[in-house]
Amino acid sequence: MRRTVYNEDHQAFRETLRAFIETEVVPVYDDWFAAGQAPRDFYYKLGELGIFGIRVPEEFGGAGIDSHKFEAIMYEETARAGVSFGGSGVHVLLGLPYIQMLATDEQKKRYLPKFVTGEEMWALAMTEPGTGSDLAGMKTTAKLSEDGTHYVLNGAKTFITGGVHADKVIVCARTDAPSAEDRRHGISLFAVDTKSEGYSVGRKLDKLGLKTSDTAELAFVDVKVPVEDLLGEENKGFHYLGQNLPSERWGIAFGAYAQAKAAVGFAKEYVQDRTVFGKTVASFQNTKFELAACQAEVDAAEAVADRALEALDAHELTAAEAASAKLFCTEVAHRVIDRCLQLHGGYGFMNEYPIARLYADNRVNRIYGGTSEVMKMIIAKNMGL
């Protein structure tokens, strides 16, 4: 089926990105995998390539393109090569929307130029130990000082992607107690400098997958955050988080579709080369049927992902539509990648094969950004159920 989401500019970007991945990532990716993270200087290379500035206004050093289609191509090309860009994905997908939506002109002048170059990498700290998806239950606090010049931040966060290398972290904290009518009241967002006294990075978490993406625990002990680094208004943080969830969930959906498509490519290549009983694995009817079924699912996921992409670019993607796209694409990817690994036989269980790493990386898609169960709740509510 012919896709209509991309034009010639997008294809030119794809070619440039593919060449960059082949020269700058593929040769060293095994080293990143063993180290458990991409090196910090790699993010400067992404900045030089212009990856971080595509959607940043020109006045701050970006390209000023109001579209997520270049990000979509990044999902497709990294999946195709069986690699990732480390923990840098949250920098653009999670960090940038909050800066664009909430930062004042003065804050944008301070934040965005270094954001574009990779000099300051951003992360988002929402989840806390023991709270999981229940953000309204967060315990981290930010109390305004008596002289009104800064907030004092105390608490802890966990599962923070990009947390090891981050220079700035958008921290969600309570500036007021929840009200009897609304548990979500009282949450605010802050741009916290990771060099601040009292800020510390705890364990770099050992994950099942996403091995090159640094994920950490963070702790705040009397961290002073200048009032100039409050993002948006006090106590409206939960509302802000809700506004950006559709774009985050689109990113997960599109990434999952791209992984499923890549898995079919890996499996097709493998079964055409692998010989058993004097025949290629590809020559068996079961192989043909399995890959055909997987391709049909990928085609469907592509249509859903593309539709969500167009809606996102038109600023029309609703919470329910994003939830539906995430649910469908992540579940498709789960089934397709599992079946493609099976076609690899025992080699599919070896990390030297990209399908094995893809299998582990994909599993979190049905958890983070809201679990599949939460997505079903959102969809059902939208149906009036």
Side-chain angles (χ1 to χ4, degrees), residues 95-346:
L96 183 57
Y98 290 100
I99 299 174
Q100 290 179 319
M101 177 176 68
L102 303 175
T104 63
D105 289 341
E106 185 275 332
Q107 288 174 322
K108 289 177 180 177
K109 289 176 182 177
R110 284 194 287 124
Y111 300 153
L112 287 176
K114 293 180 180 179
F115 180 100
V116 170
T117 62
E119 185 177 348
E120 287 187 348
M121 296 299 295
W122 288 64
L124 176 64
M126 294 189 290
T127 306
E128 296 184 358
T131 62
S133 297
D134 182 20
L135 296 180
M138 70 175 60
K139 301 291 194 299
T140 298
T141 60
K143 298 188 180 299
L144 188 62
S145 62
E146 290 185 3
D147 61 7
T149 61
H150 62 272
Y151 291 86
V152 180
L153 184 67
N154 283 283
K157 300 289 181 179
T158 192
F159 305 147
I160 309 307
T161 303
V164 174
H165 284 320
D167 302 287
K168 294 278 191 181
V169 178
I170 299 173
V171 178
C172 310
R174 284 209 164 275
T175 44
D176 196 7
S179 66
E181 298 79 20
D182 187 1
R183 293 178 61 240
R184 300 170 296 183
H185 170 77
I187 295 172
S188 302
L189 307 184
F190 300 89
V192 180
D193 190 325
T194 62
K195 297 185 293 294
S196 301
E197 184 177 352
Y199 180 103
S200 62
V201 178
R203 292 186 303 150
K204 181 164 74 70
L205 300 175
D206 184 15
K207 308 184 296 298
L208 170 67
L210 300 178
K211 290 293 188 178
T212 64
S213 174
D214 56 299
T215 304
E217 296 174 330
L218 306 179
F220 321 108
V221 179
D222 292 335
V223 176
K224 294 182 179 180
V225 183
V227 292
E228 292 82 9
D229 286 323
L230 170 69
L231 289 172
E233 298 180 37
E234 268 196 6
N235 304 324
K236 291 189 176 182
F238 200 95
H239 171 70
Y240 299 143
L241 294 172
Q243 285 186 296
N244 279 321
L245 280 173
S247 65
E248 177 184 349
R249 288 167 179 163
W250 163 80
I252 297 170
F254 207 96
Y257 142 70
Q259 290 175 325
K261 182 177 181 179
V264 173
F266 295 143
K268 180 182 176 183
E269 181 180 7
Y270 178 82
V271 299
Q272 288 175 323
D273 291 339
R274 175 72 168 159
T275 301
V276 294
F277 306 118
K279 301 167 62 176
T280 64
V281 175
S283 66
F284 291 95
Q285 186 182 62
N286 178 70
T287 303
K288 299 176 191 290
F289 282 5
E290 283 293 287
L291 283 178
C294 287
Q295 184 61 55
E297 289 218 75
V298 169
D299 287 343
E302 181 179 87
V304 170
D306 284 355
R307 184 181 69 174
L309 172 56
E310 294 284 25
L312 182 63
D313 270 11
H315 304 284
E316 296 174 352
L317 184 65
T318 68
E321 289 169 344
S324 179
K326 181 181 184 295
L327 176 65
F328 183 78
C329 291
T330 58
E331 294 291 340
V332 164
H334 162 66
R335 293 191 297 269
V336 166
I337 294 170
D338 184 73
R339 294 167 84 172
C340 288
L341 186 149
Q342 187 73 16
L343 290 174
H344 281 71

Side-chain angles (χ1 to χ4, degrees), residues 7-68:
N7 59 31
E8 292 181 359
D9 289 340
H10 298 125
Q11 296 305 335
F13 174 75
R14 184 187 297 278
E15 292 174 10
T16 299
L17 184 63
R18 186 172 294 183
F20 174 83
I21 290 171
E22 289 299 320
T23 58
E24 298 290 343
V25 183
V26 172
V28 294
Y29 195 70
D30 286 345
D31 296 335
W32 296 4
F33 189 85
Q37 62 187 36
R40 178 63 178 83
D41 61 3
F42 173 68
Y43 299 149
Y44 290 110
K45 294 181 180 180
L46 292 177
E48 291 172 4
L49 189 63
I51 294 295
F52 298 146
I54 292 171
R55 290 194 288 115
V56 173
E58 293 182 37
E59 62 184 296
F60 303 115
I65 300 173
D66 184 19
S67 173
H68 290 77

